[in-house]
């Protein structure tokens, strides 16, 4: 006589219903409301708002700095994950814990600390000023702030995958005459690339919508260092809800398209 094991979680229908309701209340309904509000505009009015020079400058700045920060973290984060997984040294656990600091630290606190550090009178900024360039209140400062905030995404997605790669595979390849570059290219890259793309996409998405850590170090100069989230706040302060919603829809559509392309690329890489 077979014994039926009762599942810990209720059946598929009930759990799926709760999932859809929760997802609708938290994500789908607010996003749909934003699109409905923006639909009150005609296409010409919507196009005029999103193609305004100030909006385009903020769009280029937000997505450009987020992309640069994601690329930097894609390189540095992978190196950090490699060191934490492959080497044992004093202070390793402390460094591993510090990786998650941007998750726990309020973004406004991070923004104030970075601004104090990189201003022309700050500890690092004064040396940059002596060399003839500024860090704070420039796109470079925004990129550094986004790099700080988004670093854990790449490290924490690459680290477990790297830990699961058997060292014996690399040793076998080396015994068969493979050079270190060949081992890296043919063994490590195929295994790490899907996780790396996931971390890159998460870092990029977080960087596009980041506000607290950027607002202080950006300087918020229109057409120069004004990010899209700040421009939305400016519209809301001016009671221009339609303009703020239109910019939000623009951010959502562009982010969705970019993340969709990254996910399609990741799926193509994972498919043998």
């Amino acid at each position: 006589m077979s014994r039926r094991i009762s599942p810990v979680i209720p059946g598929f229908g009930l759990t799926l219903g709760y999932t859809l309701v929760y997802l609708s209340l938290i994500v789908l309904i607010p996003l749909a409301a934003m699109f409905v509000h923006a639909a009150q505009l005609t296409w010409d009015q919507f196009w005029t708002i999103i193609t305004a020079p100030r909006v385009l400058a903020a769009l280029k700045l937000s997505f450009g700095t987020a992309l640069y920060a994601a690329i930097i973290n894609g390189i540095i984060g992978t190196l950090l994950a490699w060191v934490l997984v492959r080497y044992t040294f004093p202070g390793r656990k402390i460094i591993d814990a510090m990786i998650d600091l941007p998750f726990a630290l309020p973004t406004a606190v991070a923004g104030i600390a970075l601004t104090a550090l990189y201003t022309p009178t700050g500890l690092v900024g004064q040396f940059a000023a002596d060399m003839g360039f500024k860090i704070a209140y420039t796109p470079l400062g925004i990129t550094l702030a986004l790099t700080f905030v988004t670093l854990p995404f790449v490290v924490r997605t690459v680290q477990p995958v790297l830990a699961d790669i058997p060292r014996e595979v690399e040793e076998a390849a080396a015994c068969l005459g493979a050079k270190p570059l060949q081992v890296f290219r043919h063994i490590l890259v195929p295994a790490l690339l899907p996780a790396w793309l996931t971390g890159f996409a998460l870092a990029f998405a977080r960087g596009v919508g980041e506000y607290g850590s950027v607002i202080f170090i950006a300087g918020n100069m229109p057409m120069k260092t004004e990010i899209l989230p700040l421009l939305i706040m400016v519209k809301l302060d001016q009671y221009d809800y339609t303009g703020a919603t239109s910019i939000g829809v623009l951010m959502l559509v562009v982010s969705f398209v970019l993340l969709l392309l990254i996910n399609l690329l990741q799926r193509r890489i994972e498919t043998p």
Side-chain angles (χ1 to χ4, degrees), residues 60-73 114 118 135-151 203 207 210 213-214 217-218 225 227:
K60 180 180 178 181
L61 178 67
S62 293
F63 282 88
T65 52
L67 178 62
Y68 290 139
I71 293 174
I72 293 171
N73 279 331
L114 292 172
Y118 291 120
I135 298 178
Y137 317 128
T138 66
L140 175 59
I142 298 174
T143 302
L144 290 176
L146 295 180
T147 302
F148 170 81
V149 173
T150 59
L151 175 63
E210 179 60 27
S213 63
V214 178
I217 200 171
T225 60
I227 58 175

Side-chain angles (χ1 to χ4, degrees), residues 120-137:
T121 57
L123 182 62
V124 177
Q126 60 181 343
F127 296 104
D130 293 339
M131 290 185 288
F133 68 95
K134 293 174 58 178
I135 298 178
Y137 317 128

Side-chain angles (χ1 to χ4, degrees), residues 107-112 114-115 137 141-142 145-146 149 209-221 225-234 237:
T107 55
V109 176
I112 294 174
L114 292 172
T115 304
Y137 317 128
I142 298 174
L146 295 180
V149 173
E210 179 60 27
Y211 180 79
S213 63
V214 178
I215 190 69
F216 298 104
I217 200 171
N220 311 321
M221 294 178 286
T225 60
E226 186 178 49
I227 58 175
L228 273 176
L230 174 63
L231 185 56
I232 293 176
M233 292 299 299
V234 171
D237 290 339

Side-chain angles (χ1 to χ4, degrees), residues 171-223:
E171 294 173 357
C175 292
L176 292 174
K179 297 180 180 180
L181 185 60
Q182 292 175 318
V183 174
F184 175 78
R185 179 180 178 184
H186 296 288
I187 295 178
L188 295 179
V189 170
L192 292 177
L193 190 55
W196 187 89
L197 286 174
T198 300
F200 177 87
L202 292 173
F204 175 75
R206 170 66 187 273
V208 169
E210 179 60 27
Y211 180 79
S213 63
V214 178
I215 190 69
F216 298 104
I217 200 171
N220 311 321
M221 294 178 286
M223 306 293 294

Side-chain angles (χ1 to χ4, degrees), residues 1 119 142 255:
M1 180 177 179
T119 53
I142 298 174
S255 299

Side-chain angles (χ1 to χ4, degrees), residues 2-56:
S2 62
R3 183 181 178 184
R4 183 177 180 182
I5 300 177
S6 178
V8 177
I9 301 178
F12 173 75
L14 182 60
T15 54
L16 179 62
Y18 277 119
T19 301
L20 293 178
V21 170
Y22 184 81
L23 183 64
S24 299
L25 292 176
I26 301 299
V27 179
L28 298 181
I29 292 178
L31 294 181
M34 186 171 61
F35 277 95
V36 169
H37 191 83
Q40 299 175 3
L41 299 172
T42 65
W43 173 252
D44 291 336
Q45 292 173 328
F46 178 77
W47 184 256
T48 300
I49 292 175
I50 65 174
T51 57
R54 187 176 179 181
V55 175
L56 293 179

